[in-house]
């Protein structure tokens, strides 16, 4: 898909650009880039998000493709490129339940992106499934294909690979006499380590490859260069100064919200940097770097003026957060705002460029509703079987109602009394199965909501066990931090009677004595690294990769020793994987191997020996 020639010599400076008060340079190009990244199959709105608008704490729906389509259409004027910086798929039921139909492709084609860059999660289900996604996006009439170009300069495959010929290193777009090159870059090591590309998929060095294709395009007379990267904001910033000839970097992967610090702080949303972040490239010329948050909650708008030599004269813009019109005073939507509060909210929205009340595009709503209506039906799909009642428990021996399948008269009750939740242990097995880089998996037992009975297992069973919208994160943690996390959790159980904080784990096992003081309740802590069969005493000064849900990683249930790693971008990897998907995929994988879910053996349980709290 190539942009048609436009009379750019007489095009007025784009509205919202910082150069709007300057005189256009003869033969200059004024370009608007509208972009998103990392929507992770979150095609509908993020419901009841907490924002502070005009000094009022409110809850409102944010984003979703029906609103994004409206916003893209609203800002699509002049010389425009519509870009997606990768990680379109995996993360919600709209992908895991519709891998054949791929509503993500349908929703993306309502925007009709010019270019899409491959992200690491595009490879989660292998190259054959990725080929199916690309074809659905680019050529399927059922998905309203509009010819989006797919780019990935540093991804190489054999000619026989399923994705061979379905993407290119770059694309060139024509605006009047001007050409704009868009080069795709994917994050190599993360894709190899955390996704499932085929063995013949090679990921070249990101910076070297970017420079190679910048030089190629420059030699062919293309002097406006955009990198469309799935490489993290931090890597984009570091790369900018190393490259000659780059003008714009539109990024993804790190889920970075960029913008004015004061504006977003007032709304209660921390930012990672300025929108745009303006640095200098290796030539000493300006390079503009942008990213637009995640999960379809924002659309970025970058307005750039280039001079006749193709260098950036100025760039400006911001992330747009498209809001619903359903403001409520509580997250359940039951408590209404006062008239004065609603006026303050609406006055603030009207005066603030970064937020706007956006009507949903009717056509997109109808197309999405077709899949939304099927989700409950698809939950009844049988995905495997269980050879035993997989009983839940919070604190061992507690007899929590969520483990009622294994009551007092059940033989499994003795196992639960001694070792805790079977279901939570299986959940952590599923986490480790889906997170390909992790050594250890941790989960709070309260996040596991029920048991799975013996017999056929459906998608609905998995939803009932893990009903929340939590995502998996990988954390680089020392052995000492892991032990401290166990102590945090156990202290919450003892001090606050918070039974749901009790820890479950895979590749981590320990003894528990709730009667001891904090710091000594977990003992004989042993660990296994990924792929190892033998256990070893946990090495306190060494680093392990721990996968967990984002609730406890951020300190939920008093898992406070995880917080330093979670808040350190160099130690946290946001996988974008819905934790419910981990259980569904794990059960399906077992079934494909002819296996069923089974009660773990004692040596695989996190709790090896348990001494309950003595009553006074």
């Amino acid at each position: 898909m190539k942009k048609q020639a436009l009379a750019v010599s007489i095009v007025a400076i784009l509205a919202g650009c910082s150069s709007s008060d300057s005189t256009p340079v003869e033969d200059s190009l004024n370009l608007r880039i509208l972009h998103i990244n990392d929507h992770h199959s979150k095609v509908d709105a993020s419901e009841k998000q907490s924002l502070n608008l005009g000094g009022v704490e409110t809850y409102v729906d944010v984003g979703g493709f029906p609103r994004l389509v409206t916003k893209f259409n609203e800002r699509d004027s002049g010389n425009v490129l519509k870009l997606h910086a990768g990680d379109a798929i995996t993360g919600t039921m709209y992908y895991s339940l519709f891998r054949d139909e791929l509503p993500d492709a349908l929703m993306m084609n309502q925007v009709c992106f010019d270019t899409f860059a491959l992200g690491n999660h595009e490879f989660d289900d292998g190259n054959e499934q990725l080929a199916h996604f690309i074809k659905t996006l680019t050529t399927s009439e059922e998905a309203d294909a509009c010819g989006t170009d797919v780019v990935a300069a540093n991804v190489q495959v054999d000619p026989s690979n399923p994705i061979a010929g379905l993407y290119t290193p770059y694309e060139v777009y024509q605006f009047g006499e001007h050409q704009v090159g868009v080069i795709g870059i994917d994050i190599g090591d993360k894709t190899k380590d955390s996704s499932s590309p085929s063995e013949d998929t090679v990921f070249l060095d990101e910076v070297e490859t970017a420079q190679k294709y910048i030089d190629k395009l420059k030699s062919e007379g293309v002097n406006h260069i955009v990198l469309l990267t799935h490489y993290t904001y931090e890597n984009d910033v570091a790369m900018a100064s190393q490259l000659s000839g780059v003008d714009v970097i539109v990024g993804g992967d790190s889920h970075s919200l960029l913008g004015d610090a004061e504006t977003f702080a007032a709304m209660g949303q921390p930012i990672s940097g300025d929108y745009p972040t303006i640095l200098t490239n290796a030539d000493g010329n300006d390079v503009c770097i942008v990213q637009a948050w995640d999960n379809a909650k924002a659309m970025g708008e970058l307005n750039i003026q280039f001079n006749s030599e193709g260098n950036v004269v100025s760039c400006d813009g911001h992330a747009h957060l498209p809001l619903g019109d359903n403001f409520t005073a509580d997250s359940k939507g039951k408590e209404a705002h006062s008239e004065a509060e609603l006026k303050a909210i609406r006055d603030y929205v009207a005066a603030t460029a970064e937020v706007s009340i956006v009507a949903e595009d009717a056509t997109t709503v109808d197309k999405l509703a077709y899949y939304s209506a099927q989700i409950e039906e698809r939950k009844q799909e049988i995905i495997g079987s269980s050879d035993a009642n997989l009983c839940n428990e919070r604190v061992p021996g507690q007899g929590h109602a969520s483990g009622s399948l294994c009551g007092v008269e059940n033989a499994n009750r003795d196992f639960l009394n001694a070792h805790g939740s079977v279901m939570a242990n299986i959940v952590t097995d599923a986490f480790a199965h889906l997170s390909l880089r992790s050594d250890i998996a941790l989960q709070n037992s309260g996040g596991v909501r029920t048991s799975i009975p013996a017999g056929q297992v459906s998608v609905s069973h998995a939803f009932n066990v893990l009903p929340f919208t939590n995502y998996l994160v990988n954390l680089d943690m020392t052995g000492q931090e892991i032990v401290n996390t166990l102590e945090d959790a156990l202290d919450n159980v003892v001090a606050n009677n918070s039974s749901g904080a009790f820890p479950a784990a895979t590749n981590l096992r320990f003894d528990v004595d709730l009667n001891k003081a904090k710091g000594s309740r977990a003992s004989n802590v042993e660990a296994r690294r990924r792929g190892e069969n033998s256990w070893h005493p946990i090495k306190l000064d060494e680093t392990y990769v721990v996968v967990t849900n984002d609730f406890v990683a951020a300190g939920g249930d008093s898992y406070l020793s995880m917080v330093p790693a979670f808040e350190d971008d160099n130690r946290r990897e946001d996988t974008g994987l819905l934790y419910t998907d981990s259980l569904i995929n794990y059960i399906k994988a077992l079934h494909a191997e002819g296996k069923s879910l089974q009660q773990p053996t004692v040596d695989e349980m996190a709790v090896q020996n348990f001494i309950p709290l003595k009553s006074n």
Side-chain angles (χ1 to χ4, degrees):
M1 177 173 61
K2 301 294 181 282
K3 289 287 183 180
Q4 299 298 310
L6 298 173
V8 298
S9 60
I10 59 173
V11 173
I13 302 301
L14 293 173
C17 182
S18 63
S19 56
S20 57
D21 295 329
S22 60
T23 302
V25 179
E26 187 176 357
D27 296 325
S28 67
L29 170 67
N30 300 293
L31 179 68
R32 172 174 290 170
I33 294 176
L34 305 176
H35 62 99
I36 68 170
N37 53 274
D38 297 276
H39 82 257
H40 286 292
S41 297
K42 181 60 177 168
V43 291
D44 55 356
S46 294
E47 297 181 344
K48 295 303 175 187
Q49 297 293 290
S50 175
L51 292 173
N52 188 308
L53 302 176
V56 179
E57 292 287 344
T58 190
Y59 295 85
V60 64
D61 294 352
V62 179
F65 268 82
R67 289 190 180 89
L68 285 179
V69 169
T70 299
K71 201 67 185 180
F72 270 95
N73 291 339
E74 174 191 311
R75 306 305 299 163
D76 187 1
S77 62
N79 302 324
V80 174
L81 281 175
K82 293 181 284 188
L83 307 180
H84 191 309
D87 274 8
I89 56 176
T90 76
T92 74
M93 294 299 104
Y94 285 104
Y95 177 73
S96 58
L97 299 185
F98 299 99
R99 279 179 167 84
D100 292 331
E101 302 90 335
L102 294 170
D104 286 287
L106 176 64
M107 291 295 99
M108 290 172 68
N109 283 326
Q110 305 316 299
V111 174
C112 193
F113 291 97
D114 295 297
T115 327
F116 170 67
L118 296 181
N120 55 294
H121 282 291
E122 270 65 68
F123 293 89
D124 278 354
D125 288 322
N127 290 36
E128 187 171 346
Q129 176 65 13
L130 173 55
H132 174 54
F133 173 68
I134 295 175
K135 291 174 184 176
T136 305
L137 174 68
T138 58
T139 62
S140 169
E141 292 183 6
E142 289 79 6
D144 297 346
C146 58
T148 295
D149 296 316
V150 179
V151 293
N154 66 320
V155 178
Q156 292 187 346
V157 295
D158 291 339
S160 60
N161 191 281
I163 65 171
L166 299 181
Y167 68 97
T168 59
Y170 61 85
E171 290 291 338
V172 176
Y173 302 93
Q174 193 81 33
F175 295 94
E177 298 179 356
H178 299 273
Q179 292 181 310
V180 177
V182 179
I183 302 167
I185 296 292
D186 191 14
I187 186 165
D189 287 344
K190 181 178 181 180
T191 306
K192 288 185 291 185
D193 294 342
S194 298
S195 295
S196 300
S198 59
E199 290 185 3
D200 65 335
T201 308
V202 176
F203 295 88
L204 305 175
D205 180 86
E206 296 89 350
V207 179
E208 291 178 4
T209 304
Q211 190 63 68
K212 170 186 174 181
Y213 284 102
I214 292 171
D215 293 344
K216 183 179 189 299
L217 289 173
K218 289 282 189 179
S219 71
E220 296 172 356
V222 180
N223 63 348
H224 307 87
I225 303 296
V226 177
L227 295 184
L228 185 59
T229 72
H230 195 80
Y231 191 44
T232 80
Y233 171 67
E234 296 78 10
N235 284 335
D236 287 342
V237 167
M239 177 170 61
S241 63
Q242 302 175 59
L243 296 175
S244 173
V246 65
D247 299 305
V248 176
I249 302 176
V250 177
D253 187 63
S254 52
H255 301 190
S256 300
L257 176 61
L258 305 180
D260 177 72
E262 184 176 347
T263 298
F264 281 102
M267 286 192 282
Q269 299 297 329
I271 62 166
S272 299
D274 293 333
Y275 188 110
T277 299
I278 303 175
L279 303 172
T280 54
N281 61 23
D283 308 311
N285 296 318
D286 283 353
V287 54
C288 309
I289 302 172
V290 293
Q291 194 171 139
W293 215 3
D294 60 16
N295 285 287
K297 296 196 294 285
M299 180 197 77
E301 177 185 343
L302 178 67
N303 297 303
I304 316 119
Q305 180 185 350
F306 297 92
N307 63 20
S308 58
E309 296 177 351
N311 296 322
V312 173
V313 174
S314 63
C315 58
D316 201 359
H318 56 265
H320 294 272
L321 276 59
L323 309 180
D325 196 18
N326 57 338
F327 304 101
T328 60
D330 70 314
S331 60
K332 303 293 185 182
K334 296 180 179 180
E335 185 177 342
H337 285 295
S338 68
E339 289 298 322
E341 288 173 334
L342 282 175
K343 183 178 186 305
I345 290 169
R346 295 182 188 282
D347 287 349
Y348 179 84
V349 170
T352 306
E354 288 82 355
V355 288
S356 55
I357 297 172
V358 176
E360 295 182 312
D361 177 76
T363 299
T364 309
V365 168
D366 288 344
K367 291 179 181 293
L368 181 57
Y370 173 79
Y371 292 99
S372 302
Q374 294 184 59
I375 285 181
E376 287 303 318
E377 179 181 344
R378 289 288 183 101
K379 285 182 180 180
Q380 305 313 310
E381 176 192 352
I382 301 301
I383 55 177
S385 62
S386 175
D387 288 345
N389 289 335
L390 306 176
C391 299
N392 194 33
E393 185 70 289
R394 291 193 171 185
V395 178
Q398 181 190 43
H400 193 271
S402 63
S404 57
L405 277 177
C406 301
V408 175
E409 303 301 324
N410 193 300
N412 286 337
R413 173 48 54 188
D414 289 340
F415 190 92
L416 292 175
N417 291 347
H419 306 291
S421 179
V422 169
M423 195 66 246
N425 181 277
I426 290 171
V427 164
T428 58
D429 286 347
F431 285 6
H433 174 264
L434 194 60
S435 172
L436 301 181
R437 198 170 66 87
S438 61
D439 297 308
I440 292 168
L442 270 174
Q443 165 71 15
N444 59 321
S445 63
V448 180
R449 307 303 292 178
T450 192
S451 308
I452 288 180
Q456 291 185 326
V457 178
S458 68
V459 171
S460 184
H461 283 118
F463 263 95
N464 290 337
V465 171
L466 299 175
F468 305 115
T469 53
N470 292 122
Y471 292 86
L472 299 185
V473 293
N474 289 330
L475 303 176
D476 293 343
M477 298 178 66
T478 66
Q480 186 64 66
E481 288 177 317
I482 294 168
V483 173
N484 292 347
T485 298
L486 296 178
E487 293 290 345
D488 290 342
L490 295 172
D491 189 61
N492 197 14
V493 172
V494 174
N496 302 313
N497 197 28
S498 181
S499 61
F502 197 91
T506 287
N507 287 343
L508 186 72
R509 65 187 188 182
F510 44 87
D511 298 335
V512 174
D513 185 345
L514 293 183
N515 300 284
K516 292 189 175 181
K518 182 180 181 181
S520 58
R521 293 186 177 115
S523 60
N524 300 322
V525 181
E526 295 182 313
R528 277 189 312 213
R529 293 194 181 277
R530 189 173 195 87
E532 292 181 351
N533 293 319
S534 58
W535 294 89
H536 62 261
I538 195 166
K539 298 174 182 178
L540 300 180
D541 58 349
E542 292 191 9
T543 298
Y544 299 81
V545 180
V546 179
V547 61
T548 189
N549 69 74
D550 55 359
F551 168 72
V552 297
D557 258 342
S558 294
Y559 281 54
L560 300 178
S561 293
M562 284 187 155
V563 173
F566 181 75
E567 293 182 345
D568 185 341
D569 291 340
N570 295 317
R571 300 172 64 194
R572 183 189 77 243
E573 177 190 353
D574 295 308
T575 71
L577 300 169
L578 185 69
Y579 82 152
T580 314
D581 267 359
S582 69
L583 186 55
I584 293 171
N585 290 353
Y586 180 61
I587 297 168
K588 284 184 173 181
L590 287 175
H591 183 68
E593 296 174 5
K595 299 177 181 178
S596 301
L597 290 170
Q598 297 181 350
Q599 179 164 308
T601 56
V602 169
D603 63 309
E604 292 296 323
M605 292 296 292
V607 178
Q608 292 291 288
N609 297 285
F610 177 72
I611 300 176
L613 193 64
K614 296 176 182 177
S615 58
N616 295 325

